[in-house]
Amino acid sequence: MAGSNIWFYLPGHGRYVVSLLPHQQYGFGRPQKAGQVAGQSLTFSDSGVTYRLECNRRIAPGLGIYNIYVSHNAVWRPAEPDANEPFLLGSFD
């Protein structure tokens, strides 16, 4: 999966859009660091909950640690929910 923005959906939590840049058109509002990407992991906190995604490949280019921005839509639901899929992941540019 590749794209400048990633998103994931967790039932009961809604959808999170994650970006290295604070794009206002995706609902980031006032830019604020929400977490970081380092190597193969992405970590951020929202409303007292810490989320961590682990991948088998580097998430961002280079060897640095990157700040990330997160937009949360608690009411978002997939168009065709599948009860067997507890986690959905996607990306877009």
Side-chain angles (χ1 to χ4, degrees), residues 69-82:
Y69 301 88
V70 178
S71 174
H72 180 213
N73 183 338
V75 298
W76 188 92
R77 304 286 182 269
E80 297 180 23
D82 182 347

Side-chain angles (χ1 to χ4, degrees), residues 24-64:
Q24 288 187 341
Q25 68 266 36
Y26 303 128
F28 292 107
R30 190 176 343 158
Q32 176 176 322
K33 177 186 165 194
Q36 65 183 24
V37 168
Q40 296 169 234
S41 72
L42 177 152
T43 307
F44 71 92
S45 295
D46 180 57
S47 301
V49 176
T50 299
Y51 297 89
R52 182 178 180 96
L53 296 174
E54 294 284 335
C55 298
N56 61 1
R57 293 186 180 167
R58 182 173 298 284
I59 295 172
L63 300 174

